[in-house]
Amino acid sequence: LATLAQDYPLSFHGVGMNLGSATGLDPTHLSRLKELIAIYQPAAVSDHIAWVGTTDRYLNDLLPLPYTEEALALLVANVKQAQDVLGRRLLIENPSTYLTFTHSHIDEAEFVVEAAKQSGAGLLLDINNVIVNGTNHDFDPGTWLAKIPADLIGEIHLAGHTVKEIDGVTLYIDDHGSHVPLSVWSHYADLIARIGPRPTLIEWDSDLPDWPVLRAEAAAADRILDEAAHSFMMGKSHGRTGHAVGA
């Protein structure tokens, strides 16, 4: 990792910060993460809009929050605390969810944007999660993405999902175990054309393919990024260049 860090900017993406926790953040976890950051100096550090456990139990899952003012205030306070301890801006990722709460009264995209704005964080925008949630909860992913300000987006994730029929209901599951589907590529291309290039990661965590398959996925993202970079350099606007990697 140290050798790679000499030639490439690193992105540290976590699943255990517990930013949505009602019981507070784990100071030991934050301390260890701060030490890791000091050693490798990553270009970005990110975690999820989710909760993963309590003070005495880690549940090993990214659990959803209700979209309420109370949950938003809690999330913002936790993100601010994490940023204060780590001494840097975080990127927070929009979740994939499979249920909604009856108490939720804030639109999901607005909740995500407000969490970033109020805490001073940036966004790690996972387009597959938007597609998954749009199908599971019956909203238009394009409308969702149009609500996200360009200046908040620091990184983008692309991935595949599984489609299952459960009791006659179609459920999309974010499993990172297959090719990036056409729907995700389409929304990614539209987004990059609007905001300009951003660092992009292909997530493929299970049923890993041979390297050429993964490399081809990254190359497809790079073509979209390069086209957008060319358009922006021709005078449309100015964006921050990023390239795609596989994981």
Side-chain angles (χ1 to χ4, degrees), residues 7-73:
D7 298 317
Y8 301 99
L10 302 179
S11 177
F12 283 2
H13 184 52
V15 295
M17 204 175 294
N18 209 14
L19 294 174
S21 170
T23 55
L25 305 183
D26 181 350
T28 301
H29 178 84
L30 287 178
S31 177
R32 290 173 174 171
L33 181 57
K34 184 174 183 177
E35 292 176 5
L36 196 68
I37 290 170
I39 295 171
Y40 296 107
Q41 295 296 312
V45 178
S46 57
D47 211 302
H48 296 76
I49 296 176
W51 65 284
V52 300
T54 62
T55 52
D56 60 352
R57 170 173 274 188
Y58 180 71
L59 299 175
N60 197 34
D61 206 345
L62 297 168
L63 300 169
L65 301 176
Y67 298 139
T68 64
E69 294 292 347
E70 294 85 354
L72 178 60

Side-chain angles (χ1 to χ4, degrees), residues 161-185:
H161 52 254
T162 295
V163 180
K164 289 191 175 182
E165 295 290 330
I166 301 175
D167 296 330
V169 176
T170 300
L171 185 70
Y172 278 27
I173 300 173
D174 176 44
D175 66 350
H176 302 174
S178 58
H179 288 275
V180 175
L182 291 178
S183 58
V184 175
W185 283 124

Side-chain angles (χ1 to χ4, degrees), residues 43-226:
V45 178
S46 57
D47 211 302
H48 296 76
I49 296 176
W51 65 284
V52 300
T54 62
T55 52
D56 60 352
R57 170 173 274 188
Y58 180 71
L59 299 175
N60 197 34
D61 206 345
L62 297 168
L63 300 169
L65 301 176
Y67 298 139
T68 64
E69 294 292 347
E70 294 85 354
L72 178 60
L74 185 72
L75 174 63
V76 168
N78 285 340
V79 173
K80 285 183 175 180
Q81 179 188 349
Q83 291 181 141
D84 288 344
V85 172
L86 299 177
R88 63 182 298 149
R89 186 191 196 203
L90 289 178
L91 302 180
I92 53 178
E93 179 180 343
N94 56 296
S96 61
T97 60
Y98 309 97
L99 54 81
T100 57
F101 294 93
T102 56
H103 293 295
S104 293
H105 62 273
I106 303 175
D107 173 81
E108 181 181 88
E110 294 171 2
F111 185 93
V112 169
V113 169
E114 281 302 307
K117 286 183 174 180
Q118 293 184 30
S119 66
L123 292 179
L124 192 168
L125 185 58
D126 189 312
I127 296 180
N128 185 57
N129 288 356
V130 179
I131 302 293
V132 165
N133 292 3
T135 300
N136 292 343
H137 309 313
D138 194 27
F139 65 75
D140 176 53
T143 301
W144 194 106
L145 289 166
K147 297 177 181 179
I148 310 300
D151 62 331
L152 290 181
I153 303 172
E155 187 175 323
I156 296 173
H157 281 184
L158 308 174
H161 52 254
T162 295
V163 180
K164 289 191 175 182
E165 295 290 330
I166 301 175
D167 296 330
V169 176
T170 300
L171 185 70
Y172 278 27
I173 300 173
D174 176 44
D175 66 350
H176 302 174
S178 58
H179 288 275
V180 175
L182 291 178
S183 58
V184 175
W185 283 124
S186 176
H187 284 291
Y188 176 63
D190 289 344
L191 178 69
I192 292 299
R194 173 170 72 88
I195 70 172
R198 292 295 190 277
T200 298
L201 176 75
I202 305 293
E203 293 187 292
W204 200 323
D205 305 330
S206 59
D207 295 326
L208 288 173
D210 291 336
W211 168 242
V213 175
L214 187 59
R215 182 174 57 191
E217 294 280 274
D222 271 335
R223 285 192 292 272
I224 294 172
L225 291 168
D226 290 341

